[in-house]
Amino acid sequence: MNPQKKNKRLKFNLGSFDLIKGFAIMVIILGHMCYFYDLKEMTYFTPLIFFLKPMGFLMPMFFLVSGFGFREKRAEVVFKSTVKSFLYPYAVIMVLFSVIYLTTYFFYYGNWSMALQCTFAYLLAFLLGIPKPGKIIRGFELGHCSAAWFFLASFLAFNLLNLILKFKNKRLQTLLVIGCFLVGYFINIHDVNYYCVPQGLMALGYFYAGYIFKQYRLLEFLRTKIWIYLILIPVTLIHFLLGNFNLCLGEFNYGLLDCIGAGCSALLLILAGIFLDRFEWKCFDLPRKIGLYSYWILCVHVIENDCMHWEAFISSMPNQPMAYCLELLLKILIISLGCMMLKKITQYRYKRKRAIYGI
């Protein structure tokens, strides 16, 4: 298809972002893999690792996309919907994580006492919504709820955004969002992160920005303007090379400037994704499909990333480059099987619902 002809009737919906979401979730998984390796031994992977390390701005991109698809509804409707969409998966992840982690820890290390202790440390972190490892409560060191913090943050951001939109004054909406963002930033850098409240408050800012883009059709306007790229590209490069935005851990090299830089980088990614989405190339089919199932992939990734004890797997390999390649293949297999199981469960529940209600 001629991209220019398609461009004339281009309309944006959530499916328009599947391509860039697919690329983003792949980068997130590859980036998380880097934590377990001695990068000095990964000479051949240095270019890849260089581009994977500053991946924090990918989360604002997901939040912007979520805000783009948001619609104001009655508070109880949004609450029930977000419980089902975010809290239910979070609870399922917590239970499966605890059972699998306990089993695999004993398999790797053969110590039931330590397996129970470490599993409890993670379970307590999930119950308290602690995204950052190492928090100590009454002398007991907790684990963390891993990338599942995204679900708690999204739950809070969605419901707050819906409440704020009840105020019809746009200036008041903006002030409330900015106020929430600043409060979230302040408590995040001071390591007060129970139930991912600071992450949710800060995510609200990106959610609201995505909502405004949709309301005023700003993406349609901005994508053809040269000046926006003259702003976003230099800001993204500076943020990529010098900045650090880690919403999960509350790490920001340059404070609020990193938050702005991450937002600009996220917007540039979205615009790039929209541009690439015009081309119906076969090589984009897989990333689009991955983007379509990105939340399922995230759920499986949360469990396998810690429960597989990759650090023990890596130490058992002759060298780290070989371990990296084998780990990647195993992750692809585990995540693929996990998504297939989720698809089967979803189809079963849908058929059962139809049978019950006679649809």
Side-chain angles (χ1 to χ4, degrees):
M1 180 180 289
N2 188 335
Q4 292 183 346
K5 290 182 180 179
K6 188 177 180 180
N7 189 47
K8 292 180 180 179
R9 60 177 185 274
L10 187 63
K11 292 183 180 180
F12 299 134
N13 52 51
L14 289 180
S16 303
F17 307 110
D18 284 343
L19 179 62
I20 195 62
K21 284 167 60 181
F23 282 122
I25 196 67
M26 287 191 288
V27 170
I28 287 171
I29 292 172
L30 291 171
H32 285 164
M33 289 175 62
C34 296
Y35 292 139
F36 300 115
Y37 290 87
D38 182 357
L39 303 184
K40 294 179 181 178
E41 296 185 23
M42 304 285 286
T43 308
Y44 297 108
F45 293 84
T46 300
L48 173 64
I49 293 168
F50 174 77
F51 285 104
L52 292 177
K53 286 187 72 178
M55 62 177 183
F57 60 82
L58 294 176
M59 298 317 296
M61 188 273 292
F62 279 101
F63 293 138
L64 282 170
V65 170
S66 295
F68 189 87
F70 183 81
R71 292 183 180 180
E72 181 192 353
K73 298 177 182 176
R74 288 185 294 114
E76 59 270 24
V77 172
V78 172
F79 179 80
K80 290 179 180 178
S81 174
T82 51
V83 166
K84 183 178 180 181
S85 300
F86 299 117
L87 295 191
Y88 178 72
Y90 182 86
V92 172
I93 289 171
M94 177 179 66
V95 172
L96 290 177
F97 187 103
S98 300
V99 173
I100 297 172
Y101 188 90
L102 176 65
T103 305
T104 54
Y105 191 100
F106 179 75
F107 174 80
Y108 271 106
Y109 304 106
N111 187 324
W112 274 117
S113 176
M114 284 301 299
L116 288 168
Q117 182 177 329
C118 291
T119 300
F120 181 72
Y122 274 101
L123 177 60
L124 191 57
F126 270 97
L127 290 172
L128 296 176
I130 305 296
K132 183 178 179 179
K135 181 176 286 293
I136 297 176
I137 298 180
R138 295 188 176 183
F140 185 75
E141 184 175 339
L142 274 61
H144 63 132
C145 62
S146 188
W149 70 266
F150 174 83
F151 295 99
L152 291 183
S154 296
F155 172 79
L156 178 59
F158 260 110
N159 283 279
L160 278 177
L161 178 59
N162 190 61
L163 292 175
I164 288 173
L165 292 178
K166 301 300 180 186
F167 299 95
K168 300 307 176 184
N169 187 301
K170 295 295 183 184
R171 290 185 179 179
L172 179 58
Q173 289 179 6
T174 304
L175 287 174
L176 288 171
V177 169
I178 292 174
C180 288
F181 188 93
L182 292 176
V183 170
Y185 172 79
F186 179 79
I187 62 177
N188 202 354
I189 62 175
H190 286 83
D191 201 25
V192 182
N193 51 14
Y194 293 97
Y195 302 107
C196 301
V197 169
Q199 287 79 13
L201 291 173
M202 294 183 69
L204 172 64
Y206 301 110
F207 268 78
Y208 184 67
Y211 175 80
I212 292 299
F213 285 139
K214 177 66 175 292
Q215 287 293 105
Y216 295 98
R217 302 180 66 86
L218 293 179
L219 289 181
E220 290 90 330
F221 172 76
L222 292 175
R223 68 184 177 82
T224 58
K225 306 300 179 183
I226 298 298
W227 59 265
I228 191 65
Y229 299 99
L230 294 177
I231 295 173
L232 293 180
I233 292 175
V235 171
T236 299
L237 287 174
I238 293 171
H239 178 69
F240 184 86
L241 296 172
L242 302 176
N244 176 39
F245 178 87
N246 194 321
L247 185 57
C248 173
L249 303 182
E251 296 176 353
F252 315 98
N253 282 358
Y254 297 98
L256 291 172
L257 289 177
D258 269 318
C259 301
I260 296 171
C264 291
S265 303
L267 178 56
L268 181 62
L269 278 177
I270 288 174
L271 292 173
I274 290 170
F275 172 78
L276 292 174
D277 192 59
R278 302 182 306 164
F279 301 97
E280 297 180 356
W281 296 339
K282 289 293 183 182
C283 60
F284 287 161
D285 289 348
L286 180 59
R288 282 194 183 97
K289 190 170 184 179
I290 291 173
L292 179 62
Y293 296 105
S294 57
Y295 286 179
W296 286 5
I297 292 171
L298 181 61
C299 290
V300 180
H301 172 59
V302 169
I303 296 172
E304 61 82 14
N305 196 52
D306 285 301
C307 292
M308 286 299 294
H309 302 281
W310 294 112
E311 64 277 12
F313 171 81
I314 294 165
S315 64
S316 67
M317 292 289 106
N319 59 71
Q320 297 216 348
M322 178 186 291
Y324 191 92
C325 293
L326 288 175
E327 181 186 346
L328 180 58
L329 290 174
L330 288 172
K331 279 182 181 288
I332 292 172
L333 178 61
I334 293 169
I335 292 173
S336 298
L337 291 174
C339 288
M340 288 172 62
M341 290 177 62
L342 287 172
K343 189 173 183 179
K344 292 291 185 182
I345 293 170
T346 302
Q347 290 173 342
Y348 171 77
R349 292 178 64 186
Y350 176 72
K351 290 179 180 178
R352 185 180 178 186
K353 184 178 180 180
R354 290 190 64 181
I356 292 173
Y357 294 101
I359 301 175

